[in-house]
Amino acid sequence: MDMAAEKTPPLLDRICREVLEPAGMAWAHRREAPPAIEGPAPLPWITATWAQSLDARLAGPGGKTIAISGGESFAMTHYIRHIHDAILVGVGTVRNDNPRLNARINSLLEALKEPALGEPVRNPRPVILDASFAIPLDCHLLTHRETVRPWVVVDPAAATAAPDKVRAIEALGGRVLAVANARTDVRGIFARLYAEGLRSVMVEGGVVVLSHVLEIATAVIVTVAPRFIGGDAPRLVVSGNTAWGSDGPLASARWTTLGSDTVLVASRPPQ
């Protein structure tokens, strides 16, 4: 490896070898910029990641936030945040969970009795998919002193109809990005993010956002926890024609374990 092992906490060194590199993300371990995803308009590197139960639930009953993964894989998630330029979620996640979307990697490493990261922790830029412009102005992302202010992707008509809200978000340090067909044109959204300077985007959810982003994601990292949730907890549903294929196992799939969790890693050639 290009980075000396002694400079990386043992858990993170293993995550780099067994998760990031099989996902095609050796660029992160080498501290290099990810490759541009070429096409009619270039796209950033897109990593779709989520944690689920054995019965494929991504949250608790009624969509309530619950801890699904264990400490080691939770630390992995926050390390993945640290190495990406941005973290993208839907506005439903903001309204239901009121997250901060920062990288708390060192506190998680400390809880696991691991040494701290040997470099400054970088918090990713939150990007909120919010076509109808429903983000609450009092959410943590716009008000908490420890959060990076978000970029809010909205439909142009929604932004035009709420100029006072646009100004309020800008006054709080955020940005509003009006993108045509923001409800359906996922590729157009990510092309705009690339044009705005983002070269890697981690997508955490919720289930609707993930189901759309899988069409163009470059890598997938899924944590499967050894538990059942049941009830009306949300599941990820993907279309039969997803770009990852539906006619057999993923050829690039690799499995590893972190604590009590199992982690699936897969990548595919940029589309």
Side-chain angles (χ1 to χ4, degrees), residues 25-191:
M25 296 164 63
W27 50 266
H29 194 70
R30 296 193 298 261
R31 303 300 184 264
E32 297 174 353
I37 309 306
E38 301 297 340
L43 304 179
W45 181 280
I46 303 168
T47 304
T49 180
W50 66 91
Q52 67 177 56
S53 62
L54 291 173
D55 53 342
R57 313 287 181 158
L58 276 66
K64 180 181 178 181
T65 299
I66 62 172
I68 295 177
S69 57
E72 291 86 353
S73 51
F74 197 44
M76 174 191 71
T77 296
H78 279 256
Y79 185 64
I80 295 172
R81 289 182 179 186
H82 160 74
I83 63 175
H84 282 76
D85 290 342
I87 179 171
L88 183 146
V89 299
V91 70
T93 296
V94 176
R95 298 181 71 176
N96 293 335
D97 303 345
N98 198 15
R100 299 175 189 175
L101 300 180
N102 49 16
R104 302 191 304 276
I105 182 61
N106 279 334
S107 63
L108 294 170
L109 289 172
E110 182 181 8
L112 294 167
K113 303 188 184 317
E114 289 264 339
L117 189 66
E119 63 186 67
V121 176
R122 186 178 69 153
N123 289 316
R125 171 72 61 186
V127 177
I128 314 304
L129 294 191
D130 184 15
S132 60
F133 209 11
I135 186 171
L137 292 177
D138 61 351
C139 68
H140 283 149
L141 290 173
L142 287 168
T143 60
H144 197 279
R145 61 185 176 85
E146 295 181 354
T147 61
V148 177
R149 293 300 184 246
W151 293 356
V152 186
V153 177
V154 305
D155 185 84
T160 300
D164 290 345
K165 190 170 187 178
V166 172
R167 287 191 288 270
I169 288 174
E170 292 174 345
L172 290 167
R175 287 186 65 191
V176 176
L177 303 181
V179 179
N181 302 313
R183 292 184 186 277
T184 58
D185 186 8
V186 177
R187 183 174 289 274
I189 290 169
F190 280 92

